[in-house]
Amino acid sequence: MLHELMTRLADTFDPGTIEAVKGPVSLYGGLILGLIFGVVLQKGKICKYDVVSGLFRLQDFTVFRLGVPLLIVSMVLIYFLKGMGIMELHIPKTVIVPQIIGGLMFGSAIAILGYCPGTAAGALGEGSLDAIPSVLGMIVGAVIYAEFFHVDWSNTFLTWGTLSRGSFAEILRINPWYLIVLFILMATMFLMMVTMFDWFLIFLKKTLNRFHDLTDTLDEKRPTAPENISEDTKAISASTRNTVSKLKKNLNDIFKSPSK
Amino acid sequence: MPSTEFKEKYKISTIITWVVVIIAGAGLSFYLKNFLPVVVAISIVLMINPKWWTIIIMGFLYTAYLHSGWPLLASIVFSVVGKPKRWWPIPAGIAFALTEVFSFYLSERPIGITRGYTVMGSIATYLISPEHVNNVEYWGIYEPKVDWTIALILGTILGSFLSSKYSGEFKLFAVPQLWKQSKGPSVTKRWIYVFLAGIVMGFAARIAGGCVSGLLISGVIQLAPSGFIFMMSLWIGGVITSFLFYRTRTLAVKRESD
């Protein structure tokens, strides 16, 4: 029994995959890229539940701040290097209806999980043990789809809205660089909007402390105020003075010294 | 004679464990007439508690083993760059972009993770019954062979472990802090929710034909409509579910800047 399992396991390994470093099947290439990818994910702090869930709660925009430069820089570099003739594009095919449905389902899963498939692996390396059931769940989900649904669905809605041509540049028949410039402008505007919204949230939170009142629930009790303050100062500081001083301090924090 | 500081820092039992691991690796490599086991054993010993000098020693080791200068260069760069606890989002995004472009150059394909999980499912099916794999049409596309994406997942886990260990961020926990604030500290509840959401995620990734890295990022950077469609629908689905699922506890922020 064990011997049979070992032979099956040996069957799954193809010696042709460890011959070269370059090329789409090389295991060495995957390992090298994975090492770099893991370091970047961990240092960017996007394989944490708190950060990704904060994005979908509209309160923590680390993912946007990381994602916009990522998209801009890699788009420019890839089209530049393609123009130089160094590399080719590998455009994923577009099928509109299943991608909308799949995106909605994927989004609802990511809101609960807090990890996308790549960052689940990164979170596992970082010590989040709850990435283990998520990885197992992803494998089980893929098996369920393959065993029970693929044949039934492959001729119905999985083909609705298939586009024959690849990228927007080919669909609109224009030079891709116009679209790239447009994308850069829009993405920069978006990033500025997000940053302003973030400042607004910091400002609200620090001045009014509304957020803390809602969040001080379970084990995160804040320390109570010291009691050896005279009655007068209590009466004054409770209302206006406190708020004004906080407001000044926060304006300082936000606009004068962005780095801590 | 080793000083008392050295004795306190490295206990004698740990040193014996390291020596046993290295000797086992050496024996195995002598048996197989191949240097790989001893190299792996030495790198395990060096990487359990990485310092800058262990990383550079490992770079030398791999440079000697592979007859190539790249590991040494990478180890020197990592020992300098990997020390801070985080990179700020914009430099991290640019590093991510360079990784993506490097993937296009080196492996001639975009980084995509979900394919690896699907292939793992295919391999699991193959281990249980090889005849059944031939009957399922989908496993013809995702053959039960160890491929690039599985190596990518393994590398991601190792890289993240190395990076977090080096900067002292590594911490084992079963329930994240923000989940404790919004859904309670129960481990069972979190793990059941995570497993169910993982099933939905794997299923959705197969319907759409990719995940965040394979479809969204690689689609958008090549100006494909699929990436933009997936991005918008993911965003809408995520925000709606977040607000329905956490309800009043949605506003539970614990910022790092505080």
Side-chain angles (χ1 to χ4, degrees), chain A residues 119-130:
Chain A
T119 58
L124 190 58
E126 213 184 18
S128 330
L129 294 175
D130 54 343

Side-chain angles (χ1 to χ4, degrees), chain B residues 7-121:
Chain B
K7 269 184 191 167
E8 277 171 13
K9 211 169 174 184
Y10 304 102
K11 288 189 181 124
I12 202 79
S13 58
T14 357
I15 292 178
I16 289 174
T17 322
W18 294 347
V19 171
V20 166
V21 168
I22 290 177
I23 288 174
L28 198 61
S29 61
F30 184 74
Y31 176 68
L32 295 174
K33 298 201 173 11
N34 185 351
F35 277 113
L36 187 64
V38 73
V39 170
V40 170
I42 293 174
S43 39
I44 286 172
V45 168
L46 290 178
M47 283 306 114
I48 288 298
N49 202 357
K51 304 274 183 301
W52 65 269
W53 49 273
T54 59
I55 286 171
I56 289 176
I57 288 173
M58 204 172 80
F60 269 116
L61 187 70
Y62 276 89
T63 299
Y65 176 61
L66 298 172
H67 303 290
S68 151
W70 289 106
L72 184 59
L73 185 68
S75 69
I76 290 171
V77 170
F78 178 68
S79 66
V80 173
V81 163
K83 196 60 190 170
K85 286 201 167 159
R86 73 174 299 178
W87 297 342
W88 289 106
I90 288 174
I94 290 169
F96 200 139
L98 294 179
T99 314
E100 190 80 32
V101 175
F102 186 54
S103 164
F104 270 80
Y105 174 72
L106 184 73
S107 291
E108 295 158 10
R109 61 195 285 172
I111 287 178
I113 297 271
T114 320
R115 191 190 159 94
Y117 294 125
T118 315
V119 174
M120 279 182 200

